[in-house]
Amino acid sequence: MKKPLIIAGPCSAESRRQVLDSCLPLVGRVDMLRAGVWKPRSRPGSFEGVGGRALAWVAEAKRLTGLPAVIEVASARHVESALKYGIDALWLGARTTVSPFAVQEIADALRGTKVMVFVKNPVNPDLELWIGAVERLADAGIDGLSLIHRGFSYYGRGHYRNAPMWNLAFEMRARYPGLPMICDPSHIAGAREYVAEVAQTAADLRYDGLMIESHVNPSEALSDAGQQLTPDELIHLLDALQWRADGDGEFARRLERLRQEIDRIDSELFTLLGRRMAIADRIGEEKRDNNVVILQDTRWRAVVDNVTARAAELGLSSEFVHAILDAIHIESIGRQNKILNE
Ligand code: PEP
Ligand code: MN
């Protein structure tokens, strides 16, 4: 497996001292430094970054560590200032990827440059916006493109600040197999104590790297205080992280056998689902011929009770079983509805 790219540094560059104290201890442990110079915040009045003044601090951190640095840009003006200070790489934040005008403006400002660009997923789970941003940058001739998966907003409160929705990142990876996919466990987790577990999941899912927020004094941070790690904590996390090998030989053969078994079971599963739907269709025809309503609540509750009891014995989680039953139910009702109205 290729060596993963590790990017770390503070959420925001707050002062020269804070940038240097956060970045210098990372020498030898990370491949690239990060810092937010301009911070797009959801609400006005929050700390919006110190602005262009911070570029000199990032440039100094680069010089002292010998590491390249990446910062966030959200406009053509940001791009021009960053390039003037010799910043090596830029990232588009989740609140920028959602905005085609902003992305286009940045792409136009980057035309003809050699800088690396990381594109974070949009805040909302809409792959088209992520793809659109990649297309705009690729059309502007940027070939050092990478993706950053930082999770998605969702209504209500969950375990993490942003829902990972790993499947969306997989779809993006399938769509752009040539683009490195970096995970940002800090913004997915939203809390220090969860950063390591998200990072390990990303490593297990063969991500190409990680971007993690690290601040010399996280509790005093002016942005994202709850999710940043001290440099020591970051180093500890990186030491504990396991990047497992791809595997070969006997292992690969065992894996292949298990995969064949999975393929066989999937095939059986869908054969059975097809048969189940064919029976639902026959019930639909009966209902049509006898002029009876489709949805019969008591019957459906009995089906759910039967299955959940059995599923619990098999160690299947109730969320999983309910999601599957809902999908089956929606499909059956849809088919019966069609039959009744044909
Ligand atoms: C950040 O990286 O500090 C940041 C603002 O990220 P995102 O755009 O993912 O919210
Ligand atoms: Mn942040």
Side-chain angles (χ1 to χ4, degrees), residues 174-244:
R175 176 105 181 199
Y176 293 106
L179 300 191
M181 175 68 84
I182 310 295
C183 180
D184 173 345
S186 303
H187 288 88
I188 290 179
R192 253 183 293 290
E193 61 267 37
Y194 301 138
V195 175
E197 67 188 39
V198 178
Q200 186 59 59
T201 302
D204 292 342
L205 294 170
R206 303 174 94 264
Y207 273 57
D208 300 292
L210 298 170
M211 177 191 261
I212 303 181
E213 288 185 340
S214 169
H215 186 293
V216 63
N217 188 0
S219 57
E220 298 294 314
L222 300 179
S223 60
D224 288 346
Q227 72 191 28
Q228 302 202 60
L229 306 176
T230 63
D232 275 353
E233 287 166 346
L234 174 78
I235 289 167
H236 177 74
L237 180 155
L238 294 173
D239 281 341
L241 201 63
Q242 291 200 52
W243 294 89
R244 302 178 221 277

Side-chain angles (χ1 to χ4, degrees), residues 52-59 62 80-88:
R53 228 157 31 97
L55 290 167
W57 309 334
V58 178
K62 254 169 66 61
E80 282 146 24
S81 309
L83 294 178
K84 235 182 267 159
Y85 277 84
I87 305 296
D88 312 85

Side-chain angles (χ1 to χ4, degrees), residues 11 34 39-40 72 91 93-95 120 150 184 187 211 213 224:
C11 176
R34 65 150 279 157
K39 301 298 298 178
E72 173 168 358
W91 89 76
R95 289 164 194 76
K120 285 199 170 196
R150 49 78 78 197
D184 173 345
H187 288 88
M211 177 191 261
E213 288 185 340
D224 288 346

Side-chain angles (χ1 to χ4, degrees), residues 14-32:
E14 300 167 2
S15 69
R16 174 176 174 270
R17 206 55 273 156
Q18 172 259 1
V19 170
L20 298 183
D21 290 349
S22 301
C23 294
L24 265 45
L26 306 182
V27 176
R29 303 313 307 256
V30 309
D31 306 296
M32 192 180 277

